Amino acid sequence: MNTRIDYRKAAPDAYQAMRGLEAAVHRARLEHALLELVKIRVSQINGCAYCLDMHSKDARAAGETEQRLYLLPAWREAPLYSARERAALAWAEAVTQISMNELSDTLYADVRAHFNDKELVELTLAIIAINGWNRLAIAFRADVGGHVAQPVG
């Protein structure tokens, strides 16, 4: 597929605003591995090949196992994820599919058991950011496959 618009060049101020949100997410104290799992799971739900390529490469470069990546769509049935990761993934799915789901008090209580106020806001902003990136990449057909993972540190 051909790229429709290079959104970075077409609207540089808006692109920089998105980069600013992404930078804030990266400054958060949330675990890198947790953030990558969330980004990958949200990108799976949204069907964003560009972001799946990028974040699976980044996760592997940071030491994530192939098994955990392969089983991510079935995380509820796989014993490979911590309680904190499970809470984050459930929250990510619910926020991503908010038009189809109620963010129940039960779900909120579960995620609150694992994240303090600041962490939960940062996690939610990370979910909002990856949903935005997914929509940009899908709408304008970002070129898939060229991402090269950078070392974490």
Side-chain angles (χ1 to χ4, degrees), residues 10-23:
D13 290 345
Y15 175 73
Q16 286 306 317
M18 282 292 292
R19 294 283 306 152
L21 176 57
E22 189 67 27

Side-chain angles (χ1 to χ4, degrees), residues 41-143:
R41 184 64 191 124
V42 168
S43 298
Q44 289 171 337
I45 292 166
N46 290 328
C48 184
Y50 180 84
C51 294
L52 284 167
D53 176 67
M54 174 187 289
H55 295 293
S56 62
K57 287 175 179 176
D58 288 348
R60 289 290 294 134
E64 186 58 80
T65 67
E66 288 183 28
Q67 185 181 26
R68 281 172 37 104
L69 294 178
Y70 296 154
L71 294 176
L72 190 54
W75 64 266
R76 285 178 176 83
E77 290 79 37
L80 304 174
Y81 307 96
S82 70
R84 181 172 164 94
E85 289 169 335
R86 290 174 178 283
L89 291 167
W91 188 250
E93 288 182 358
V95 170
T96 296
Q97 298 172 325
I98 200 164
S99 68
M100 297 181 291
N101 294 310
E102 173 190 354
L103 292 179
S104 71
D105 290 340
T106 301
L107 174 59
Y108 180 75
D110 185 47
V111 78
R112 287 295 298 172
H114 300 281
F115 294 88
N116 66 33
D117 290 356
K118 185 176 190 300
E119 290 172 331
L120 185 53
V121 170
E122 290 172 340
L123 174 62
T124 305
L125 287 169
I127 296 163
I128 291 166
I130 191 58
N131 271 285
W133 290 121
N134 287 170
R135 282 149 177 77
L136 280 169
I138 292 167
F140 299 119
R141 293 186 179 158
D143 188 30

